[in-house]
Amino acid sequence: MQSEIKNCQNCKKDFTIEPDDFGFYEKIVVPPPTFCPECRMQRRMMFRNGHTLYKRECDLCKKNIISIYPTNAPFPVYCQKCWWSDNWDPCQYGIEFDFSKNFFEQLKELSLIVPALSITNDNEVASVNCEYTYDWFFSKNCYMCVSGWHAENVLYSFHIEHNKDMLDCMHMREAELAYECLQCYKIARSKYCTYCSECQDCFLGYDLSGCLNCIMCIGLRNKSYCIKNKQYTKEEYEIKLKKMNLSNFYSVEKYKKEFKDFCSNFPHKYSYIKKSVISTGDFLINCKNVKYAFQVINGENQRFIFGSDTTKDTYDSLMSGKAEQCYEVVVADNSQRNYFSVFCFQCRDIYYSLFSPSAENCFGCVGMKKGSYSILNKKYNKEEYENLKEKIIEHMKKTKEFGEFFPYWISPFAYNESEAQELFPLTKKEVEDKGYCWRDADLRDYKVTLPIDQLPEDINDIKDNIIQEIISCGHNGKCNHNCTTAFRVLQNELGLYKKLNIPIPHLCPNCRYFERVEKRNPPRLWHRKCMKEGCNNEFETSYAPERPEIVYCEACYQKEIY
Ligand SMILES: [Zn+2]
Ligand SMILES: [Zn+2]
Ligand SMILES: [Zn+2]
Ligand SMILES: [Zn+2]
Ligand SMILES: [Zn+2]
C-alpha cells in the first residue's frame, strides 16, 4: 500500500497517511481519519479542563465541592463519594437507539442527564489531600496539579509521575526537590532545568546528563562544578555560587536572561530522543517505532501521541498510560481495544464512551462505571449487543460519524477553559466564529494585601506570616494566561521555597503555567535540514524553521558536546 495525501476537513491543509497507518486502521476496522494530526489533537484537547476549577454544590448530598463544572452546568454533578457510591445507577438513564437520528445527537442527550463526576481525581479514595487536582491519582498533599500519579508534596505541576517535593514543573518523571523544571527525569535538588536527566544540584541547565553541581550549563555529560560550561575546582565553584545570591528574585531573573543569551550561541539537538529507535517527536525516552509523539516514555508502535507511558499499538492518544490497541482516546489508562473515548480507564472493547471507568463491551455510554454489554447506557445480552453494535456502526458510516472522534459540541467545556486553548489559542471572536463556546472569567475582586513590589526579594527575608497575604500577580490580568490577578502562598509551598532556597515567584500560578507552555517546543514537527555547514542530514523537528536556534542533527550535535 502507498502513502496517500488527504485534505483535512477542518483546516483544509493537506496531510499524509502512511502505509503503516492504513495497516493500523484496517486492523482495528475503522476508516482512515479525515482530520489532519494537529486538528485531531486539538479536537481531543477540547475534552479536558484541568485549570479552570469552580466552587459548587454536589447535586446529590449538597456538600460544597471543587469541580471542573460551574454551578450552571446543564447536567447533574456529583461529588467523589456520591458518584462512586451505589446510590445511583447509570443504567437508569439508558435510552433505546433511534435509527432516525444521528448517533452523536443521542449521545449528547444522554450526557445531559447522567450525573458527572465533579473532578477527575481519587481524593479520599486512593489519594489524600489532593482536592484541587485533575487527572491525578495515588498521591498525597498535592495542589493545583494536572495529569499525574504517585506524587507527594507536589504543587502547580503538569504531567508528572513518581515525584516528590516539587513546584512548577512539567513533564517530569522520578524527580525530587525540583523547581521550574521542564521535561526532565531522575533529577534532584535542581531548579530551572530543561531536558536534563540524572542530574543533581543543577541550576539553569539545558540538556545535561549525569551532571552534579552545574550552573548555567548546556549540553554537558557527567560533569561537576561547571559554570557556563567552564570547569572550576570545588572550592572555586563554591565561592562563586555564594556570590551569585540565588535566593534573590532579581538576581535569579538576571541569570535566567544571561543563560538564555548564552544558550543561543550553542547548537540545539533537533529533538530530545533518548534510548529510542525509529521514532520522531520530542521528549521520547525508551521508545520503539513511535512517531509524531510528544512526552512519551516506554512506548512501542504509536503515532500521534501527547503524553503517554508504557503504551503500545496505539494511535491518537492524549495522556494515557498502560494502554494497548487504542485509538482516538483521552486518558485511556490501563485499557485495551478502547476506541473514541474520554476518561474511560481500565476498559476493554469499548467505543464512543464518555467517563465510563472499568467498562467492558460498551458503545456510546456515559458514566457507565463497571458497565458491560450496554449501548447508550441500556443493557443487552451479549448477542443482542453485538448485533445492535454492528447495525449502529453501519448507521454511523452512512451519517459519516463512524471513524471520527466526538465533535466539539459534545464537550462540556468552553473552548477557552479546555486544554485546546493552551496549544491552539484562539481569540473570543475566533472561538465564536467557529461555533465553539467562550466563557468569560468570573469577576475577580481579590483584596490584595501585599502588592508584588513590596514582596521581600530574598526568600531569607520572608516571614512565616506571608501565608496570610493576598499577593498581586505581576501581570495583573493584562495577559492571555487566565490570570487570577492575585495569589496566595500555602504553608507547604513556603516550606519548599525555603528548603530549595528559591525566591517567591511574582506571578500567579496560571501565568506561571502559561509561560511554561510557551517555553516548551510545540507538539508539531517540521521537516528540516541540519544547519551544520557541509552536513546534509534531514530530520523531523519541533523547532519551527523561523526560530532563531541553531538546529543540528544527532551526529553533528554529538561532536559539539564537551
Ligand atoms: Zn487540519
Ligand atoms: Zn455528594
Ligand atoms: Zn497572573
Ligand atoms: Zn499572565
Ligand atoms: Zn548534521
Side-chain angles (χ1 to χ4, degrees):
M1 199 168 240
Q2 297 209 319
S3 65
E4 204 178 289
I5 293 174
K6 289 214 167 200
N7 190 261
C8 172
Q9 295 304 292
N10 190 50
C11 69
K12 310 295 175 200
K13 285 185 207 143
D14 285 345
F15 68 104
T16 309
I17 300 183
E18 302 291 348
D20 273 11
D21 304 345
F22 283 113
F24 178 81
Y25 305 130
E26 263 168 35
K27 191 172 122 195
I28 65 166
V29 206
V30 294
T34 64
F35 276 32
C36 72
E38 248 181 79
C39 290
R40 296 192 321 255
M41 186 186 291
Q42 181 187 28
R43 188 165 57 175
R44 286 189 295 276
M45 284 182 168
M46 292 175 188
F47 286 77
R48 281 172 57 95
N49 161 28
H51 287 99
T52 318
L53 305 184
Y54 301 95
K55 285 189 169 143
R56 59 163 296 150
E57 241 179 28
C58 165
D59 285 319
L60 196 63
C61 73
K62 308 295 173 195
K63 204 172 77 177
N64 288 324
I65 52 168
I66 301 300
S67 176
I68 49 175
Y69 309 111
T71 302
N72 63 358
F75 43 82
V77 174
Y78 287 3
C79 73
Q80 297 286 357
K81 259 203 183 115
C82 292
W83 198 88
W84 290 102
S85 74
D86 294 328
N87 296 341
W88 69 285
D89 178 5
C91 293
Q92 80 187 73
Y93 303 93
I95 48 180
E96 186 101 27
F97 191 84
D98 181 347
F99 284 92
S100 71
K101 288 181 178 171
N102 282 347
F103 167 76
F104 286 136
E105 263 173 65
Q106 301 178 64
L107 186 74
K108 178 73 183 179
E109 281 167 30
L110 184 63
S111 76
L112 293 177
I113 52 173
V114 180
L117 177 65
S118 56
I119 189 164
T120 324
N121 63 40
D122 62 357
N123 194 43
E124 292 183 0
V125 183
S127 289
V128 183
N129 194 21
C130 293
E131 194 184 3
Y132 292 80
T133 60
Y134 174 73
D135 186 12
W136 200 259
F137 307 94
F138 308 109
S139 296
K140 209 172 140 183
N141 300 332
C142 296
Y143 180 71
M144 296 301 266
C145 288
V146 173
S147 282
W149 60 13
H150 303 285
E152 193 177 334
N153 217 19
V154 173
L155 298 98
Y156 316 114
S157 293
F158 174 63
H159 191 210
I160 67 149
E161 290 174 17
H162 302 276
N163 296 272
K164 211 178 149 186
D165 296 329
M166 62 186 218
L167 312 113
D168 286 291
C169 289
M170 193 182 252
H171 308 305
M172 304 277 290
R173 199 184 159 100
E174 293 172 61
E176 200 172 328
L177 284 165
Y179 178 65
E180 272 288 7
C181 291
L182 188 55
Q183 295 161 306
C184 297
Y185 81 114
K186 291 189 181 159
I187 63 162
R189 297 181 304 281
S190 293
K191 310 156 203 176
Y192 318 98
C193 288
T194 304
Y195 293 137
C196 292
S197 63
E198 292 164 276
C199 291
Q200 289 182 21
D201 300 287
C202 288
F203 174 89
L204 282 167
Y206 191 93
D207 186 24
L208 304 181
S209 176
C211 292
L212 307 172
N213 296 291
C214 287
I215 298 174
M216 295 202 272
C217 291
I218 172 169
L220 298 187
R221 301 290 177 263
N222 308 313
K223 294 279 183 184
S224 295
Y225 306 115
C226 291
I227 301 175
K228 287 177 107 174
N229 286 30
K230 196 171 164 227
Q231 183 71 60
Y232 291 91
T233 65
K234 182 172 186 280
E235 292 69 31
E236 288 167 338
Y237 176 90
E238 276 164 3
I239 293 166
K240 283 193 171 281
L241 172 65
K242 230 178 216 144
K243 281 196 192 145
M244 288 180 80
N245 200 13
L246 298 178
S247 56
N248 182 288
F249 180 81
Y250 294 100
S251 56
V252 171
E253 288 302 298
K254 189 188 90 189
Y255 290 122
K256 277 188 191 169
K257 166 133 202 341
E258 195 179 322
F259 185 56
K260 202 176 166 204
D261 295 342
F262 180 69
C263 286
S264 68
N265 299 315
F266 284 81
H268 288 54
K269 193 164 80 165
Y270 73 103
S271 176
Y272 189 90
I273 300 179
K274 280 205 153 202
K275 300 176 189 165
S276 299
V277 285
I278 27 173
S279 295
T280 63
D282 192 33
F283 198 57
L284 307 181
I285 299 166
N286 205 14
C287 287
K288 194 175 150 192
N289 189 24
V290 169
K291 292 182 183 173
Y292 210 101
F294 306 87
Q295 342 301 345
V296 176
I297 291 178
N298 303 330
E300 208 180 321
N301 307 329
Q302 296 188 76
R303 300 287 185 275
F304 316 116
I305 307 288
F306 188 89
S308 116
D309 181 2
T310 324
T311 286
K312 63 181 194 181
D313 305 324
T314 288
Y315 273 43
D316 291 83
S317 152
L318 179 58
M319 293 299 175
S320 297
K322 294 188 183 158
E324 221 179 301
Q325 205 179 308
C326 297
Y327 178 53
E328 281 280 21
V329 283
V330 176
V331 189
D333 295 349
N334 290 304
S335 285
Q336 284 159 21
R337 298 173 305 280
N338 183 335
Y339 310 119
F340 315 100
S341 76
V342 177
F343 277 105
C344 290
F345 38 90
Q346 289 168 346
C347 288
R348 305 275 174 278
D349 303 289
I350 62 158
Y351 289 84
Y352 287 107
S353 293
L354 301 165
F355 211 87
S356 299
S358 306
E360 289 187 16
N361 298 292
C362 283
F363 197 110
C365 286
V366 181
M368 271 302 266
K369 43 180 182 174
K370 298 177 192 155
S372 66
Y373 296 109
S374 299
I375 294 173
L376 294 176
N377 287 26
K378 190 173 173 347
K379 206 156 162 47
Y380 297 90
N381 70 35
K382 186 172 184 293
E383 210 188 331
E384 291 167 340
Y385 171 84
E386 294 297 345
N387 284 336
L388 188 54
K389 182 185 108 183
E390 289 314 315
K391 275 192 201 152
I392 294 172
I393 290 176
E394 285 313 307
H395 175 75
M396 288 174 75
K397 281 179 185 164
K398 285 186 209 129
T399 56
K400 296 210 163 29
E401 294 171 295
F402 192 69
E404 296 298 325
F405 191 69
F406 309 103
Y408 167 69
W409 48 269
I410 301 267
S411 169
F413 306 119
Y415 186 87
N416 62 316
E417 63 183 5
S418 79
E419 262 173 26
Q421 177 69 353
E422 296 165 19
L423 283 162
F424 307 93
L426 299 176
T427 62
K428 185 173 179 175
K429 187 172 182 309
E430 286 167 332
V431 162
E432 286 167 354
D433 287 349
K434 284 177 188 292
Y436 304 157
C437 286
W438 180 275
R439 190 174 200 279
D440 287 317
D442 292 335
L443 208 62
R444 287 160 173 136
D445 59 343
Y446 298 116
K447 301 274 172 287
V448 169
T449 59
L450 184 67
I452 197 68
D453 52 4
Q454 286 170 29
L455 181 75
E457 295 171 21
D458 200 296
I459 186 66
N460 298 304
D461 298 329
I462 300 279
K463 305 267 178 337
D464 286 348
N465 63 5
I466 189 85
I467 59 171
Q468 279 136 35
E469 306 283 4
I470 297 169
I471 309 166
S472 63
C473 169
H475 286 177
N476 208 6
K478 294 181 189 76
C479 57
N480 296 320
H481 301 146
N482 194 10
C483 177
T484 55
T485 69
F487 63 104
R488 275 177 180 279
V489 173
L490 307 183
Q491 180 80 62
N492 56 339
E493 179 180 356
L494 180 65
L496 281 174
Y497 291 142
K498 295 225 164 187
K499 200 167 172 182
L500 282 154
N501 198 33
I502 39 182
I504 289 183
H506 281 200
L507 299 178
C508 73
N510 279 0
C511 286
R512 272 138 57 194
Y513 175 76
F514 273 87
E515 287 209 330
R516 218 170 300 128
V517 170
E518 287 160 12
K519 222 170 103 185
R520 181 189 65 199
N521 278 12
R524 283 186 67 184
L525 293 177
W526 289 267
H527 193 79
R528 290 183 63 179
K529 200 174 151 290
C530 177
M531 287 166 80
K532 175 87 180 173
E533 238 181 271
C535 178
N536 289 318
N537 283 346
E538 294 180 12
F539 42 67
E540 307 292 321
T541 177
S542 55
Y543 290 98
E546 62 273 16
R547 281 176 64 141
E549 291 91 349
I550 310 156
V551 182
Y552 277 13
C553 71
E554 177 88 45
C556 294
Y557 182 77
Q558 289 298 340
K559 282 182 209 146
E560 296 282 327
I561 290 179
Y562 302 106

